[in-house]
Amino acid sequence: MSVPIGSVRAVSDTAISRQTAQDYVDRLERRDWPGLTGLLTDDVVYEMPQTRERIRGREAFLRFNIDYPGDWHLRVRRLVADGRLAALWLDVRVGDEQQDACVWLELSEHGLINRIVDYWPEPYEPPQGREHLVERW
Amino acid sequence: MSVPIGSVRAVSDTAISRQTAQDYVDRLERRDWPGLTGLLTDDVVYEMPQTRERIRGREAFLRFNIDYPGDWHLRVRRLVADGRLAALWLDVRVGDEQQDACVWLELSEHGLINRIVDYWPEPYEPPQGREHLVERW
């Protein structure tokens, strides 16, 4: 047996985190509120550092999502999972508008999401002086 | 041997990606340009989706960083690595100003960084109507 126990457990935690992160997006996208509830700890904390907003608890977080305005749709662009952590790079659409999001998840020892941190980066104009190094798309 | 070869290799790729992502930040922070060069493929691509800017090649990317204005400092808040992917959540300081960044890395089969995608989310005012669900900090 050349693989230490710790590595085997880490692979298993990672597999759970990867599946849970994918399920988190899928259930939000489907508005599967009971399914989403099943992924979250009772006292999950949701943070948006750009607005310095924090929501505490599963019930308030569900309500926030149920009430969120617009016909929003989520697609995973990238999912990186490691132990009890996961990072999601999302393609978010509301009607004709598109925005990317960066989401950081922490899972509890029982594989439930207990912390979510969302970033919603907005487009902006690049500063002058680096045109010789960059191309635009 | 109960662990399939694939899992063992995945752990190893992940370990390399984790170390490379940490080194990437450390060498930028130290302005260790030869050290940074050693982490990158010749044709590394750097993208900033918010400005739709793209920089192609190690030389141009090094120049971009060497010329970047301000006494900037980087600290890893979170690092998530999985196979040849890594995600970095950074605390960036320039003088008294602080901003978070989300960075997505892809590594080549030789363990060098061949794609970097940076997001620089800015603070904004939260929309009205959810004050009953959130606290501010």
Side-chain angles (χ1 to χ4, degrees):
Chain A
M1 184 66 184
S2 63
V3 178
I5 298 289
S7 301
V8 179
R9 288 199 51 193
V11 170
S12 174
D13 277 353
T14 296
I16 291 169
S17 296
R18 187 183 293 118
Q19 184 63 52
T20 300
Q22 182 67 56
D23 289 346
Y24 171 71
V25 177
D26 291 345
R27 293 176 191 186
L28 277 168
E29 172 63 20
R30 289 203 308 270
R31 278 61 169 167
D32 173 5
W33 308 123
L36 183 61
T37 301
L39 299 177
L40 306 170
T41 62
D42 282 355
D43 53 356
V44 60
V45 172
Y46 174 72
E47 292 181 341
M48 291 172 281
Q50 291 166 274
T51 57
R52 298 178 180 269
E53 287 176 294
R54 180 182 294 119
I55 295 173
R56 292 186 186 274
R58 189 165 59 192
E59 193 175 339
F61 179 65
L62 262 290
R63 177 49 53 196
F64 171 77
N65 281 287
I66 292 168
D67 291 351
Y68 204 93
D71 183 26
W72 46 270
H73 293 283
L74 311 177
R75 187 175 63 79
V76 173
R77 295 191 61 173
R78 190 172 297 176
L79 197 176
V80 188
D82 191 4
R84 291 192 204 155
L85 301 175
L88 286 159
W89 173 6
L90 300 182
D91 177 323
V92 182
R93 312 251 167 183
V94 184
D96 293 338
E97 293 191 22
Q98 191 277 332
Q99 186 172 13
D100 292 338
C102 301
V103 180
W104 303 87
L105 302 180
E106 288 179 26
L107 275 72
S108 73
E109 62 183 318
H110 302 297
L112 297 175
I113 298 169
N114 60 11
R115 188 165 178 233
I116 304 160
V117 180
D118 266 16
Y119 286 93
W120 296 90
E122 299 263 6
Y124 62 91
E125 284 304 304
Q128 292 194 320
R130 60 198 196 194
E131 300 84 352
H132 59 298
L133 297 173
V134 306
E135 60 185 52
R136 304 291 300 280
W137 80 85
Chain B
M1 183 69 182
S2 63
V3 178
I5 298 288
S7 301
V8 178
R9 289 199 52 193
V11 171
S12 175
D13 278 354
T14 297
I16 291 169
S17 297
R18 187 182 294 118
Q19 185 63 52
T20 300
Q22 182 67 57
D23 289 347
Y24 171 71
V25 177
D26 290 345
R27 293 175 191 187
L28 278 167
E29 173 62 21
R30 289 203 308 269
R31 277 63 166 167
D32 173 6
W33 308 123
L36 182 61
T37 301
L39 299 177
L40 305 170
T41 62
D42 282 355
D43 53 356
V44 61
V45 172
Y46 174 72
E47 292 180 341
M48 290 171 280
Q50 290 166 275
T51 57
R52 298 178 180 270
E53 287 176 294
R54 181 182 293 121
I55 296 174
R56 290 186 186 275
R58 190 165 56 191
E59 194 175 337
F61 179 66
L62 262 289
R63 177 50 53 195
F64 172 77
N65 282 288
I66 293 168
D67 292 351
Y68 204 93
D71 182 27
W72 46 269
H73 292 283
L74 312 176
R75 187 176 63 80
V76 174
R77 294 190 59 173
R78 191 173 297 176
L79 197 177
V80 187
D82 190 6
R84 291 192 203 152
L85 301 175
L88 286 159
W89 173 7
L90 300 183
D91 177 322
V92 182
R93 311 251 168 184
V94 183
D96 292 337
E97 292 192 22
Q98 190 279 331
Q99 187 171 13
D100 292 338
C102 301
V103 180
W104 303 87
L105 302 179
E106 289 179 27
L107 276 73
S108 74
E109 60 182 319
H110 303 297
L112 297 175
I113 298 169
N114 60 11
R115 188 166 178 232
I116 304 161
V117 180
D118 267 16
Y119 286 93
W120 296 90
E122 299 263 7
Y124 62 91
E125 284 302 305
Q128 292 193 319
R130 61 198 196 194
E131 299 83 354
H132 59 298
L133 296 173
V134 307
E135 61 185 50
R136 303 292 300 280
W137 81 84

mmCIF file of all heavy atoms in Angstrom, chain A residues 2 13 16 28 34 37 40 66 73 76 79 82-83 86 97-98 112-113 119 125 137:
data_model
loop_
_atom_site.group_PDB
_atom_site.id
_atom_site.type_symbol
_atom_site.label_atom_id
_atom_site.label_comp_id
_atom_site.label_asym_id
_atom_site.label_seq_id
_atom_site.Cartn_x
_atom_site.Cartn_y
_atom_site.Cartn_z
ATOM 1 N N SER A 2 1.048 1.889 -1.145
ATOM 2 C CA SER A 2 1.985 3.002 -1.240
ATOM 3 C C SER A 2 1.308 4.353 -1.042
ATOM 4 O O SER A 2 1.979 5.368 -0.991
ATOM 5 C CB SER A 2 2.672 2.980 -2.606
ATOM 6 O OG SER A 2 1.708 3.172 -3.620
ATOM 7 N N ASP A 13 -13.073 13.298 0.011
ATOM 8 C CA ASP A 13 -13.630 14.616 0.337
ATOM 9 C C ASP A 13 -13.749 15.463 -0.925
ATOM 10 O O ASP A 13 -14.749 16.155 -1.127
ATOM 11 C CB ASP A 13 -12.722 15.353 1.327
ATOM 12 C CG ASP A 13 -12.963 14.942 2.771
ATOM 13 O OD1 ASP A 13 -13.920 14.188 3.016
ATOM 14 O OD2 ASP A 13 -12.180 15.369 3.628
ATOM 15 N N ILE A 16 -16.722 14.438 -3.029
ATOM 16 C CA ILE A 16 -17.979 14.928 -2.444
ATOM 17 C C ILE A 16 -18.136 16.423 -2.691
ATOM 18 O O ILE A 16 -19.209 16.899 -3.090
ATOM 19 C CB ILE A 16 -18.016 14.613 -0.930
ATOM 20 C CG1 ILE A 16 -18.145 13.100 -0.709
ATOM 21 C CG2 ILE A 16 -19.155 15.361 -0.235
ATOM 22 C CD1 ILE A 16 -17.918 12.663 0.725
ATOM 23 N N LEU A 28 -30.001 25.379 -7.939
ATOM 24 C CA LEU A 28 -30.364 26.791 -8.094
ATOM 25 C C LEU A 28 -30.983 27.004 -9.478
ATOM 26 O O LEU A 28 -32.038 27.632 -9.607
ATOM 27 C CB LEU A 28 -29.125 27.682 -7.951
ATOM 28 C CG LEU A 28 -28.673 28.039 -6.532
ATOM 29 C CD1 LEU A 28 -27.287 28.669 -6.560
ATOM 30 C CD2 LEU A 28 -29.659 28.997 -5.855
ATOM 31 N N PRO A 34 -36.302 22.473 -2.295
ATOM 32 C CA PRO A 34 -36.049 21.378 -1.334
ATOM 33 C C PRO A 34 -34.679 20.724 -1.584
ATOM 34 O O PRO A 34 -33.962 20.390 -0.639
ATOM 35 C CB PRO A 34 -37.194 20.397 -1.604
ATOM 36 C CG PRO A 34 -38.271 21.222 -2.245
ATOM 37 C CD PRO A 34 -37.549 22.263 -3.044
ATOM 38 N N THR A 37 -32.002 23.004 -0.254
ATOM 39 C CA THR A 37 -32.017 22.941 1.213
ATOM 40 C C THR A 37 -31.186 21.763 1.714
ATOM 41 O O THR A 37 -30.443 21.878 2.688
ATOM 42 C CB THR A 37 -33.469 22.812 1.723
ATOM 43 O OG1 THR A 37 -34.208 23.949 1.270
ATOM 44 C CG2 THR A 37 -33.525 22.723 3.234
ATOM 45 N N LEU A 40 -27.343 22.300 2.294
ATOM 46 C CA LEU A 40 -26.870 23.387 3.153
ATOM 47 C C LEU A 40 -26.946 23.027 4.629
ATOM 48 O O LEU A 40 -27.891 22.358 5.054
ATOM 49 C CB LEU A 40 -27.728 24.641 2.911
ATOM 50 C CG LEU A 40 -27.853 25.130 1.460
ATOM 51 C CD1 LEU A 40 -28.922 26.208 1.364
ATOM 52 C CD2 LEU A 40 -26.514 25.652 0.957
ATOM 53 N N ILE A 66 -35.094 32.644 -3.608
ATOM 54 C CA ILE A 66 -36.464 32.541 -4.122
ATOM 55 C C ILE A 66 -36.942 33.914 -4.591
ATOM 56 O O ILE A 66 -37.606 34.040 -5.622
ATOM 57 C CB ILE A 66 -37.389 31.963 -3.025
ATOM 58 C CG1 ILE A 66 -37.025 30.498 -2.755
ATOM 59 C CG2 ILE A 66 -38.862 32.086 -3.434
ATOM 60 C CD1 ILE A 66 -37.675 29.915 -1.497
ATOM 61 N N HIS A 73 -30.138 32.581 -15.065
ATOM 62 C CA HIS A 73 -29.691 31.224 -15.395
ATOM 63 C C HIS A 73 -28.203 31.091 -15.147
ATOM 64 O O HIS A 73 -27.438 32.012 -15.416
ATOM 65 C CB HIS A 73 -30.025 30.900 -16.849
ATOM 66 C CG HIS A 73 -31.501 30.813 -17.074
ATOM 67 N ND1 HIS A 73 -32.237 29.721 -16.693
ATOM 68 C CD2 HIS A 73 -32.376 31.702 -17.583
ATOM 69 C CE1 HIS A 73 -33.518 29.931 -16.972
ATOM 70 N NE2 HIS A 73 -33.629 31.128 -17.513
ATOM 71 N N VAL A 76 -21.982 26.326 -15.168
ATOM 72 C CA VAL A 76 -20.623 26.200 -14.634
ATOM 73 C C VAL A 76 -19.614 26.340 -15.770
ATOM 74 O O VAL A 76 -19.675 25.593 -16.743
ATOM 75 C CB VAL A 76 -20.426 24.837 -13.934
ATOM 76 C CG1 VAL A 76 -18.958 24.637 -13.537
ATOM 77 C CG2 VAL A 76 -21.329 24.702 -12.724
ATOM 78 N N LEU A 79 -15.056 24.306 -12.363
ATOM 79 C CA LEU A 79 -15.275 23.844 -10.996
ATOM 80 C C LEU A 79 -13.957 23.269 -10.502
ATOM 81 O O LEU A 79 -13.400 22.368 -11.132
ATOM 82 C CB LEU A 79 -16.367 22.769 -11.012
ATOM 83 C CG LEU A 79 -17.072 22.379 -9.723
ATOM 84 C CD1 LEU A 79 -18.168 21.365 -10.009
ATOM 85 C CD2 LEU A 79 -16.146 21.852 -8.642
ATOM 86 N N ASP A 82 -11.225 20.754 -3.757
ATOM 87 C CA ASP A 82 -10.031 20.276 -3.057
ATOM 88 C C ASP A 82 -10.407 20.087 -1.596
ATOM 89 O O ASP A 82 -10.627 21.065 -0.876
ATOM 90 C CB ASP A 82 -8.910 21.311 -3.208
ATOM 91 C CG ASP A 82 -7.564 20.779 -2.740
ATOM 92 O OD1 ASP A 82 -7.477 19.592 -2.378
ATOM 93 O OD2 ASP A 82 -6.603 21.564 -2.741
ATOM 94 N N GLY A 83 -10.461 18.826 -1.165
ATOM 95 C CA GLY A 83 -10.871 18.570 0.209
ATOM 96 C C GLY A 83 -12.271 19.122 0.427
ATOM 97 O O GLY A 83 -13.177 18.854 -0.356
ATOM 98 N N ALA A 86 -14.398 24.270 -2.505
ATOM 99 C CA ALA A 86 -14.647 24.275 -3.941
ATOM 100 C C ALA A 86 -14.718 25.720 -4.418
ATOM 101 O O ALA A 86 -15.102 26.623 -3.669
ATOM 102 C CB ALA A 86 -15.948 23.539 -4.281
ATOM 103 N N GLU A 97 -28.492 39.820 -20.840
ATOM 104 C CA GLU A 97 -27.292 40.245 -20.117
ATOM 105 C C GLU A 97 -26.511 39.046 -19.612
ATOM 106 O O GLU A 97 -27.084 38.064 -19.162
ATOM 107 C CB GLU A 97 -27.674 41.148 -18.944
ATOM 108 C CG GLU A 97 -28.247 42.475 -19.409
ATOM 109 C CD GLU A 97 -28.371 43.462 -18.258
ATOM 110 O OE1 GLU A 97 -27.670 43.301 -17.244
ATOM 111 O OE2 GLU A 97 -29.178 44.390 -18.389
ATOM 112 N N GLN A 98 -25.194 39.177 -19.705
ATOM 113 C CA GLN A 98 -24.307 38.107 -19.247
ATOM 114 C C GLN A 98 -23.325 38.672 -18.243
ATOM 115 O O GLN A 98 -22.815 39.788 -18.407
ATOM 116 C CB GLN A 98 -23.548 37.513 -20.455
ATOM 117 C CG GLN A 98 -22.787 36.231 -20.146
ATOM 118 C CD GLN A 98 -21.413 36.468 -19.533
ATOM 119 O OE1 GLN A 98 -20.793 37.485 -19.775
ATOM 120 N NE2 GLN A 98 -20.958 35.533 -18.725
ATOM 121 N N LEU A 112 -21.902 19.091 3.858
ATOM 122 C CA LEU A 112 -22.899 20.119 3.545
ATOM 123 C C LEU A 112 -22.207 21.483 3.428
ATOM 124 O O LEU A 112 -21.189 21.731 4.077
ATOM 125 C CB LEU A 112 -23.964 20.174 4.642
ATOM 126 C CG LEU A 112 -24.794 18.895 4.801
ATOM 127 C CD1 LEU A 112 -25.738 19.021 5.998
ATOM 128 C CD2 LEU A 112 -25.583 18.592 3.520
ATOM 129 N N ILE A 113 -22.787 22.346 2.614
ATOM 130 C CA ILE A 113 -22.201 23.667 2.396
ATOM 131 C C ILE A 113 -22.474 24.527 3.626
ATOM 132 O O ILE A 113 -23.630 24.703 4.020
ATOM 133 C CB ILE A 113 -22.804 24.329 1.131
ATOM 134 C CG1 ILE A 113 -22.492 23.490 -0.113
ATOM 135 C CG2 ILE A 113 -22.279 25.752 0.972
ATOM 136 C CD1 ILE A 113 -23.278 23.920 -1.354
ATOM 137 N N TYR A 119 -18.576 36.594 -5.637
ATOM 138 C CA TYR A 119 -18.081 37.815 -6.270
ATOM 139 C C TYR A 119 -18.783 37.988 -7.609
ATOM 140 O O TYR A 119 -18.921 37.017 -8.369
ATOM 141 C CB TYR A 119 -16.562 37.749 -6.497
ATOM 142 C CG TYR A 119 -15.765 37.905 -5.238
ATOM 143 C CD1 TYR A 119 -15.361 36.788 -4.517
ATOM 144 C CD2 TYR A 119 -15.429 39.163 -4.759
ATOM 145 C CE1 TYR A 119 -14.631 36.930 -3.348
ATOM 146 C CE2 TYR A 119 -14.702 39.308 -3.595
ATOM 147 C CZ TYR A 119 -14.298 38.191 -2.898
ATOM 148 O OH TYR A 119 -13.583 38.323 -1.736
ATOM 149 N N GLU A 125 -13.562 49.882 -18.025
ATOM 150 C CA GLU A 125 -12.642 50.287 -19.078
ATOM 151 C C GLU A 125 -11.198 50.110 -18.606
ATOM 152 O O GLU A 125 -10.860 50.503 -17.486
ATOM 153 C CB GLU A 125 -12.884 51.749 -19.469
ATOM 154 C CG GLU A 125 -14.107 51.942 -20.328
ATOM 155 C CD GLU A 125 -14.051 51.080 -21.594
ATOM 156 O OE1 GLU A 125 -13.068 51.199 -22.344
ATOM 157 O OE2 GLU A 125 -14.984 50.290 -21.815
ATOM 158 N N TRP A 137 -10.947 41.757 -26.826
ATOM 159 C CA TRP A 137 -11.916 40.920 -27.515
ATOM 160 C C TRP A 137 -13.305 41.391 -27.212
ATOM 161 O O TRP A 137 -13.487 42.297 -26.435
ATOM 162 C CB TRP A 137 -11.732 39.439 -27.176
ATOM 163 C CG TRP A 137 -12.292 38.976 -25.878
ATOM 164 C CD1 TRP A 137 -13.588 38.578 -25.622
ATOM 165 C CD2 TRP A 137 -11.593 38.812 -24.623
ATOM 166 N NE1 TRP A 137 -13.731 38.190 -24.312
ATOM 167 C CE2 TRP A 137 -12.529 38.328 -23.679
ATOM 168 C CE3 TRP A 137 -10.284 39.020 -24.209
ATOM 169 C CZ2 TRP A 137 -12.197 38.051 -22.359
ATOM 170 C CZ3 TRP A 137 -9.963 38.751 -22.902
ATOM 171 C CH2 TRP A 137 -10.897 38.276 -21.978
#
